Amino acid sequence: MYKPDTIAAQALGWIEPTTRAIVPPIHTATTFERDPDNQYRSGRVYVRADNPAFDQAEQVVTALEHGTETLLFASGMAAATAVFQALAPGDHVVAPKVMYWALRSWLAGYAAEWGLKVDFVDADNVDAVRRAVRPGETKLVWLETPANPLWCISDIAAAADIAHRAGARLAVDSTVATPILTRPLTLGADIVMHAATKYLNGHSDVCAGTLTVARLDGYWQRVKAVRKGNGAILGSFEAWLLLRGLRTLPLRVRAASAAAMRIAAHFRGHRRIADVLYPGLTNFPGHEVAARQMAGGFGGMMSIRVAGGAAAAIATAAQLKIWKRATSLGGVESLVEHRASIEGPGTPAPGDLLRLSVGIEDAGDLIEDLELALAGAGAGD
Ligand SMILES: *Cc1c(COP(=O)(O)O)cnc(C)c1O
């Protein structure tokens, strides 16, 4: 198998057979011709199940994740919720207390009403995961690592072992790590999910999600049926843009990770900063596990706790010029967000926390912008 840089740059080297174009066309057809003898030998019937515009992006993600098959979805949430909707009402699932906020809300609300029994645990603690899993009853363990917005690290290999002994599957939201830094399927996970809206696309202009599976089985058939039945499919233009974004994924992830490491090291112990949350820092609680299961960097996501509390944090964000105040992450441009404001009551994000999505700008410029904003806001004075 080729290295990730080669897979991504050439999108697996695919050439369009009729024109020899090295970039794929954008297929927009919603339907496909039936053979005269009433068969569908092309294998494609109708776009909701069989869009050829998805083929390459799905195959590139499969190759990067060392998986067997990938499905594109209309969003990260559509991909993640399909994992749970392919279970049955009454099934027990284990999910992290600290995780992507909208999915946690969906699990606590819609999924619970639909009949899933959901237990939220401190997923950075292997013993807590072990205690929560009920052999024979638990059907799925969900992890997110590093996890929004505190970047808690979960041990994928240990959780896979616990889940499998209990007869459950392990699914990992690997949006923040990306397949460049972590490949959960090679560590024992059964499914890996990405909000492709973030790093996979990387340019803040496509909303998409992916699921990649380790092996094909009846459960995966149900996931496919959920996508087809619920119809949460991506458009052809978005699939094409996603493929274009994927070609530079390794470069973007390495640049963002290197810049994040520099920024974290700069602000650690800084008088205007109460704490820096970044898995690359050796004093970070999950650092050892992160060092074991992330290769080539610790990602572009971090949080800072601003000295002076929530008001100082919001005032700092207000003064930033390069960092844009916006939600989302994983784009080429750096973003800052006061998470407690967007998550509301029940958030694990302290009021003084600013989430930073480090882009690929010059790290020195990003540090200077933060320094000026912290000083302008009088943080820690
Ligand atoms: C953004 C995000 C999601 C949801 O993806 P959407 O494309 O916004 O639906 C899920 N998990 C993580 C970690 C995310 O950052």
Side-chain angles (χ1 to χ4, degrees):
M1 172 113 60
Y2 292 122
K3 298 286 191 297
D5 293 71
T6 311
I7 292 168
Q10 297 208 355
L12 287 168
W14 190 82
I15 299 289
E16 202 281 308
T18 48
T19 62
R20 310 308 295 162
I22 63 169
V23 172
I26 305 178
H27 288 286
T28 57
T30 54
T31 192
F32 304 88
E33 195 187 31
R34 193 189 268 278
D35 299 328
D37 62 356
N38 219 33
Q39 303 296 302
Y40 265 117
R41 279 188 201 76
S42 73
R44 301 187 200 271
V45 177
Y46 182 61
V47 69
R48 184 151 34 75
D50 313 308
N51 190 345
F54 293 0
D55 292 2
Q56 273 185 278
E58 288 181 341
Q59 285 167 22
V60 169
V61 175
T62 300
L64 292 173
E65 288 290 3
H66 293 197
T68 302
E69 198 168 278
T70 295
L71 290 176
L72 288 189
F73 289 80
S75 65
M77 280 297 288
T81 55
V83 170
F84 294 97
Q85 290 188 305
L87 300 172
D91 285 350
H92 178 245
V93 305
V94 174
K97 278 185 189 158
V98 176
M99 66 183 291
Y100 181 71
W101 187 249
L103 184 58
R104 194 176 96 155
S105 304
W106 183 87
L107 284 170
Y110 183 94
E113 282 166 27
W114 183 65
L116 284 186
K117 297 184 195 130
V118 189
D119 270 330
F120 294 98
V121 303
D122 291 315
D124 52 350
N125 177 341
V126 173
D127 289 328
V129 176
R130 190 178 289 115
R131 281 195 301 274
V133 166
R134 309 176 194 161
E137 206 186 322
T138 305
K139 294 293 184 275
L140 187 88
V141 175
W142 181 271
L143 294 183
E144 176 180 328
T145 184
N148 262 289
L150 307 178
W151 318 113
C152 305
I153 299 291
S154 291
D155 186 327
I156 297 171
D161 188 51
I162 292 167
H164 294 160
R165 281 172 196 271
R169 287 184 169 72
L170 176 68
V172 178
D173 179 343
S174 195
T175 298
V176 170
T178 82
I180 305 310
L181 307 179
T182 304
R183 283 187 295 275
L185 302 182
T186 67
L187 298 169
D190 302 285
I191 305 166
V192 56
M193 172 255 156
H194 289 284
T197 312
K198 315 294 170 53
Y199 289 99
L200 297 193
N201 178 64
H203 295 76
S204 308
D205 54 9
V206 170
C207 183
T210 66
L211 294 178
T212 304
V213 74
R215 76 200 72 78
L216 309 181
D217 58 11
Y219 171 77
W220 184 243
Q221 289 311 315
R222 288 201 297 282
V223 172
K224 284 183 149 173
V226 169
R227 184 179 76 163
K228 184 178 163 186
N230 288 4
I233 55 154
L234 201 59
S236 298
F237 293 98
E238 286 74 14
W240 189 91
L241 270 178
L242 172 59
L243 183 70
R244 172 179 348 197
L246 277 168
R247 290 178 182 243
T248 54
L249 176 69
L251 288 177
R252 290 186 283 101
V253 169
R254 282 197 295 266
S257 294
M261 190 73 225
R262 251 186 84 185
I263 294 165
H266 179 91
F267 286 105
R268 175 188 188 175
H270 191 287
R271 74 175 185 92
R272 298 189 187 279
I273 297 287
D275 201 3
V276 178
L277 309 181
Y278 185 61
L281 294 178
T282 50
N283 66 331
F284 187 77
H287 175 74
E288 271 178 41
V289 177
R292 210 164 55 232
Q293 68 188 19
M294 303 180 85
F298 294 90
M301 295 304 301
M302 58 190 287
S303 294
I304 52 174
R305 298 187 62 180
V306 177
I314 292 169
T316 299
Q319 303 245 353
L320 288 163
K321 297 211 160 47
I322 300 176
W323 300 79
K324 299 294 179 281
R325 286 176 303 279
T327 197
S328 199
L329 57 101
V332 290
E333 62 286 297
S334 293
L335 303 180
V336 59
E337 187 175 44
H338 184 248
R339 281 306 291 180
S341 296
I342 195 152
E343 295 189 358
T347 177
D352 60 4
L353 181 143
L354 292 178
R355 184 180 80 174
L356 304 179
S357 172
V358 179
I360 63 168
E361 304 94 338
D362 180 83
D365 285 346
L366 293 172
I367 289 170
E368 189 181 307
D369 195 30
L370 274 166
E371 283 280 9
L372 290 173
L374 286 162
D381 284 344

